[in-house]
Amino acid sequence: MAAYMETECEGARVVYISSDKGKGLVAQKSFKSGDVILEEKPLVCAQFSWNELYKYKACEFCLKSLENAEEMVQRLTNDPSIVLPFPECCEVDATKFAFCPQCQVLYCSPHCRDAALNSYHQALCLGSSRENPDHPLNQLINQWRSFHYPPETGSIMLIIKTIAMIKQAKSKGAVISMFSTFVNSVINEREDIAHKLLGAQFLDQREILRSMLAEVFFEESVQEWYTPEGFNSLFALIGTNGQGIGTSSFSRWVKATERLQLGDAEKEQLDDTIDKLYERLEEVSGSFLDCEGSGLYQLQSAANHSCVPNAEITFPHGDHTLSLVALEDIQPDEEITISYLGCCGLERGRHSRQKALKENYLFTCNCLKCLSQCDDASITTEEEEELEEDDY
């Protein structure tokens, strides 16, 4: 197993696995189930455009939820009369917020504001034009929204922020090299990702976005990204490598209440209150409860999929910091795998899983579960048979 010289940490390293898988993530040491294998911050991340438009307030840099828990519940239930008990369990502190002095973009802290300014925001700041819908960058974002409705799976802002990082960098080549691992991993079948605006039926929409980006935010050092082929590669980059991020001050409040020392009756009453709140939230807002976005992570993006993964991704700090946690014991030099599918997707039959992975990530899964079910007719569901007929 030859080393893939890209990046590593104490918990895992990126290696070359095989010609069909390319790179993968391998354990540096042994882990027990529940152990944190690694924590990682993204090279860049961005809140989804529709999510921001619908007033999900998040730190522009780390995506931390900036509504307090009570405000979030009131908005998502459309009920301003709701009062949460134990307000001390909410970690949101508006006194620590910071703003960009020019465009007034909101951050959870001066640290995040300064990190954004030092990384990309100087090149991206819209100044007094931030709320102007006629500003070219705002027009580009609005155009993206018109082509990509919720549920969102990517963001034009990831591309814009990536270019802004390069524009602002003292060493443009160093920043470009960080993203080259993602760009070079895109395979020739990228046009097949129809649901991420890369299908032939979305050619006109892509061309509009590409021409607008070239006109309003051109960067000579990556001019190849503005060609039709290069722009498709950028879409494939965020489609196949972008990791979803979700933050919620309400869910953080719920977790904090679990640590309270309460009597049995008080604990039962609190649990009942929380259950009823979640019922109201689902009734009014469905599954759209979090501040949502996506980011590009160098180590996480190297982890291959398995329908029986030995690790999972969590966001335990309520921001963009990703934790990779072992689901079972893992030995040194063992490949670390995650699921690219959600829980519901994993529970579906082999054909449905294979179809989703092929369409979304351009590969055929050959994990142990898929191989064991390959010739097992007993697991073929009626839904899968219908899908197989559709394929023909």
Side-chain angles (χ1 to χ4, degrees), residues 269-285:
Q269 183 180 9
L270 176 61
D271 289 343
D272 182 63
T273 297
I274 292 173
D275 288 342
K276 289 179 178 177
L277 284 172
Y278 271 117
E279 290 175 3
R280 291 281 306 280
L281 288 167
E282 184 175 1
E283 178 182 340
V284 177
S285 297

Side-chain angles (χ1 to χ4, degrees), residues 140 143 147 202-214 231:
L140 175 58
Q143 192 71 71
F147 293 156
F202 297 118
L203 178 61
D204 292 342
Q205 289 93 329
R206 289 202 309 278
E207 180 56 27
I208 290 171
L209 291 171
R210 184 192 69 82
S211 61
M212 290 181 69
L213 183 66
F231 192 63

Side-chain angles (χ1 to χ4, degrees), residues 68-79:
N68 66 44
E70 187 171 277
E71 291 170 338
M72 176 171 267
V73 171
Q74 288 175 349
R75 176 176 59 82
L76 291 172
T77 60
N78 196 28
D79 185 352

Side-chain angles (χ1 to χ4, degrees), residues 82-290:
I82 290 177
V83 177
L84 294 185
F86 308 107
E88 68 275 12
C89 289
C90 179
E91 62 188 24
V92 176
D93 185 355
T95 65
K96 296 180 180 179
F97 291 175
F99 298 84
C100 168
Q102 278 74 45
C103 69
Q104 300 300 302
V105 163
L106 183 61
Y107 298 91
C108 67
S109 66
H111 171 78
C112 278
R113 177 198 59 199
D114 295 345
L117 284 170
N118 292 332
S119 178
Y120 58 82
H121 191 68
Q122 292 180 53
L124 193 58
C125 183
L126 300 185
S128 59
S129 300
R130 179 173 180 262
E131 300 299 332
N132 179 7
D134 294 326
H135 189 282
L137 270 177
N138 286 332
Q139 288 184 336
L140 175 58
I141 294 168
N142 286 333
Q143 192 71 71
W144 165 266
R145 288 193 188 107
S146 72
F147 293 156
H148 195 15
Y149 293 98
E152 295 171 270
T153 55
S155 171
I156 193 70
M157 281 304 300
L158 271 184
I159 293 176
I160 293 173
K161 281 189 175 182
T162 297
I163 295 171
M165 287 178 67
I166 297 169
K167 276 183 173 291
Q168 191 172 314
K170 293 180 179 179
S171 174
K172 295 180 186 292
V175 177
I176 293 171
S177 68
M178 290 193 304
F179 290 99
S180 65
T181 57
F182 298 110
V183 175
N184 291 338
S185 70
V186 175
I187 64 176
N188 291 331
E189 292 180 84
R190 57 178 172 262
E191 295 273 355
D192 290 341
I193 316 182
H195 82 290
K196 292 190 174 69
L197 298 183
L198 281 166
Q201 67 270 40
F202 297 118
L203 178 61
D204 292 342
Q205 289 93 329
R206 289 202 309 278
E207 180 56 27
I208 290 171
L209 291 171
R210 184 192 69 82
S211 61
M212 290 181 69
L213 183 66
E215 181 179 350
V216 304
F217 212 59
F218 185 78
E219 169 55 42
E220 186 176 0
S221 62
V222 287
Q223 57 184 298
E224 66 275 10
W225 289 3
Y226 296 88
T227 66
E229 182 179 352
F231 192 63
N232 285 352
S233 293
L234 288 177
F235 263 100
L237 184 156
I238 65 173
T240 58
N241 294 286
Q243 167 62 48
I245 302 168
T247 64
S248 166
S249 56
F250 175 63
S251 66
R252 299 282 294 172
W253 174 84
V254 170
K255 290 181 180 179
T257 62
E258 294 172 356
R259 297 188 290 270
L260 293 172
Q261 301 297 316
L262 303 175
D264 291 344
E266 196 174 12
K267 181 67 167 63
E268 184 176 350
Q269 183 180 9
L270 176 61
D271 289 343
D272 182 63
T273 297
I274 292 173
D275 288 342
K276 289 179 178 177
L277 284 172
Y278 271 117
E279 290 175 3
R280 291 281 306 280
L281 288 167
E282 184 175 1
E283 178 182 340
V284 177
S285 297
S287 60
F288 297 100
L289 304 183
D290 297 344

